[in-house]
Amino acid sequence: MVVSDRYVQMEARTAIVTGGSSGIGLAVVSRLAATGHKVAFFGSSAGKVEKALHRLDLAGMRSDVMGEAVDIRSASEIQAFVEQVGRRLGPPTILVHSAGMSPKREGERIAVHDTPLDQWQEVLEVNLTGAFLCTRQMLPIMVDRRFGRIVMIGSQAARALPRFAGAAYVASKAGLAGFVRSLAAEYASAGITANTVAPGNIATEMTGGRSSPQNLAAVSAIPAGRIGETGDVAGIVAFLCSPEAGFINGATVDVTGAEFVAP
């Protein structure tokens, strides 16, 4: 097989993955590292970051991979992290925003009238404002190099009637899709793409894994007949980060096993 020069160039790029210490984020880190990217990720918990680095080490993927604990709500911490990545791995021109939270009460979504204001604000700060802060910090690097790939991990809950997610989570994920369209309109001419990947029911810590009541109940509504795996999401993210995806911009790609099909 002949490998194009464009693919070789992709392998040399540096990516930053938020929420990369577990779930979909960690699967994305692994996939990008496996395809030759230099990858930096962060999470909110130093312990989870260390466990993720250990898993990557056991899988032989620690070369050109770094991880840190960063508060995604802090513009100064994000700036320091991006600058550190630039010094250690090279200028980052790929951003995958996977950090997110979805508060529940005894495994169930919290009704709007019972949602505390501080919880609403925290969810939007992590899921949406955090994406803005990271993107704002990295855009000048991408513009300077005339190449950038931005992928936001959204949710089926923002595209269809939500069954399990609370209003704050749904609003934040819907906001990501709107933010992506704005980025595509403003920065496409600079060689930058911005897209949303909207997973359906995926087996992660957030959803309780394959055997959680939520996921077991969801299987009957999924035409594919199974819960999604984190690798199902990581594969499409890796493609959207590649030069081959340069004409896909401002899109939302659903990864739902046909549970949701956009009109």
Side-chain angles (χ1 to χ4, degrees), residues 3-12 34-37 242-244:
V3 179
S4 71
D5 290 340
R6 294 170 67 202
Y7 187 81
V8 172
Q9 291 170 5
M10 177 191 72
E11 293 183 338
T35 53
H37 292 81
S242 73
E244 281 77 8

Side-chain angles (χ1 to χ4, degrees), residues 32-114:
L32 292 178
T35 53
H37 292 81
K38 302 173 185 178
V39 187
F41 71 91
F42 66 80
S44 60
S45 164
K48 284 188 176 182
V49 169
E50 288 302 318
K51 287 181 180 179
L53 288 170
H54 181 63
R55 288 178 60 180
L56 293 165
D57 193 27
L58 292 176
M61 294 182 180
R62 273 300 302 274
S63 177
D64 291 330
V65 175
M66 60 175 282
E68 301 283 349
V70 173
D71 184 352
I72 198 168
R73 299 167 299 181
S74 170
S76 60
E77 289 192 28
I78 291 169
Q79 178 180 351
F81 181 76
V82 172
E83 291 174 351
Q84 181 185 19
V85 172
R87 291 190 296 268
R88 290 178 56 178
L89 301 180
T93 55
I94 295 171
L95 170 64
V96 180
H97 177 66
S98 184
M101 59 183 299
S102 180
K104 302 286 193 302
R105 182 175 294 162
E106 296 180 355
E108 300 291 333
R109 69 181 175 191
I110 302 171
V112 174
H113 70 275
D114 280 336

Side-chain angles (χ1 to χ4, degrees), residues 27 37 42-44 61 64 73 91 105 113 117 121 128-129 147 164 185 219 243-244 248 253 259:
H37 292 81
F42 66 80
S44 60
M61 294 182 180
D64 291 330
R73 299 167 299 181
R105 182 175 294 162
H113 70 275
L117 176 59
Q121 291 173 330
L128 182 56
T129 304
F147 178 91
F164 305 110
V219 171
E244 281 77 8
I248 303 174
V253 181
E259 182 179 6

Side-chain angles (χ1 to χ4, degrees), residues 120-208:
W120 171 275
Q121 291 173 330
E122 183 181 18
V123 172
L124 264 66
E125 285 177 356
V126 171
N127 296 7
L128 182 56
T129 304
F132 162 73
L133 292 175
C134 294
T135 304
R136 185 181 65 173
Q137 186 64 41
M138 291 178 62
L139 274 170
I141 301 171
M142 298 178 184
V143 170
D144 184 60
R145 283 153 184 80
R146 307 295 297 178
F147 178 91
R149 295 289 182 265
I150 300 167
V151 180
M152 304 293 182
I153 304 301
S155 175
Q156 173 183 299
R159 305 264 285 166
L161 189 66
R163 292 184 295 165
F164 305 110
Y169 178 85
V170 174
S172 68
K173 294 299 186 177
L176 280 179
F179 182 41
V180 157
R181 291 192 295 273
S182 294
L183 290 170
E186 289 187 41
Y187 294 96
S189 61
I192 298 169
T193 67
N195 294 288
T196 305
V197 172
N201 287 279
I202 307 294
T204 66
E205 292 180 13
M206 181 183 291
T207 63

